[in-house]
Amino acid sequence: MRSEVSNQGPLTGITVVSLEQAVSAPLCTRTLADMGARVIKVENPHGGDFARYYDDVVNGMAAHFVWLNRSKQSITLDLKTTAAQQVLGRLLQNSDVFVTNLAPGATHRLGLDPDTLARTHPHLVTCEISGYGDDGPLSGKRAYDLLAQAESGACSITGWPDAPAKPGPPMADSCTGLYAAISILASLQERKDTGRGRSISVSLFDTMVELMGYPLTWSRYTGTDQHPVGLGSPAVAPYGAYRTVDGHTVILGTTNDNEWQRLATNLLNRPDLAESERYRRGPDRVAHRDELDAAIAAWCADHTLADIQNAADAAGIGNARYNTTTDVVAHPHLTARDRWREVDSPVGPVVTPLPPPIIAGLEPVLGPIPGLGEHTDLVLEDLGLDESEIQALRRDGAFGPPRHAEELH
């Protein structure tokens, strides 16, 4: 019997304040919000998070912003004013976590750097996401996802030889945000015993170097660059994409000697390949990748996608259909598992996928996507400010005169 499902996430009672934009920090805080944390997104009144305006394809909202900002409360503060800085100080005093991913040096200029906050708000877990960390020759450089992927070598092992490519998803941004969330959770656990927060720093470059662990280890110990192989893997073969007789593309993969034996014998009906010393070991198959790909491609060209996948499943061979993004939107596996939800937004309900973790007895918290500054008064009232105090702050320019993004150019 299934237990009752609760909408109270495990981070209920935790308050996160963020000065965030684009992808890395917003994904970090959205992950915490999915688990029940209250996330207060502090935005510049002159346009806010610039990801709000990347495009307008979601009924007038940007797809990036819809993806990354559900369940948050947006307030606008003009941190160039003393009044706004005082408001932020009160917010931090009543919060548990502070997350930033501003340009290099910005937190120091605002007096919000980790060392200062450790003195003024010792209870606070702070997490600063940067491009290259706070020391080293690149620490002062701006960094975006593509820049970090290029600098780390990831683009050199993606695509084809002489045709490098950026991995499609924003891997540097996304994985940095997730490492940040993991570190915050660990620090919150420690704070239960110590009463003190930790200062956390995570950089896009360090994250990509971690994700590049295999190819970098390869290069260190071979003295050579690893080259991209398109829809395949430089580590194992055969492992790639093959056209089918009915116009689809199937992905077939082997990761060890036993799987290779099954693919050659049970799928291709080629015991000669299975018995050949030329292909017996993994490194041998990688060295003769083109020969094996040609044999598999010829076989797939005579079979339908359904026949290939059925035969591969029966032989215990990993396989998948090559899908486009529109294919995945309509993917029957997602539909069968009820993996889509509607969330509210300033433009009405929008559809979003559920977060990956499935926690028994808990439903992820999927709150609305906020409009710019939508929750400013509510958050200030929660801090104990009355209407006259809020109006005084407004006169002092704490919230700034909101403007549309097009006025910023």
Side-chain angles (χ1 to χ4, degrees), residues 104-152:
T107 55
H108 284 269
R109 291 191 294 273
L110 292 168
L112 298 171
D113 56 280
D115 290 341
T116 299
L117 291 177
R119 294 192 302 270
T120 59
H121 299 82
H123 72 289
L124 199 62
V125 173
T126 65
C127 182
E128 189 166 38
I129 295 174
S130 65
Y132 296 101
D134 57 6
D135 54 9
L138 300 183
S139 60
K141 290 177 67 70
R142 286 181 176 267
Y144 306 121
D145 181 81
L146 172 58
L147 307 182
Q149 296 217 42
E151 194 77 38
S152 68

Side-chain angles (χ1 to χ4, degrees), residues 250-272:
V250 65
I251 312 296
L252 294 173
T254 61
T255 59
N256 57 61
D257 295 343
N258 289 334
E259 288 182 353
W260 158 244
Q261 291 291 316
R262 294 200 302 273
L263 186 146
T265 303
N266 300 345
L267 201 64
L268 304 183
N269 194 26
R270 291 286 304 273
D272 58 310

Side-chain angles (χ1 to χ4, degrees), residues 66-87:
V66 168
W67 166 40
L68 295 166
N69 289 283
R70 63 176 179 247
S71 303
K72 299 180 185 181
Q73 295 179 322
S74 170
I75 72 170
T76 53
L77 288 177
D78 187 347
L79 293 176
K80 294 179 181 178
T81 68
T82 300
Q85 292 171 10
Q86 292 172 345
V87 171

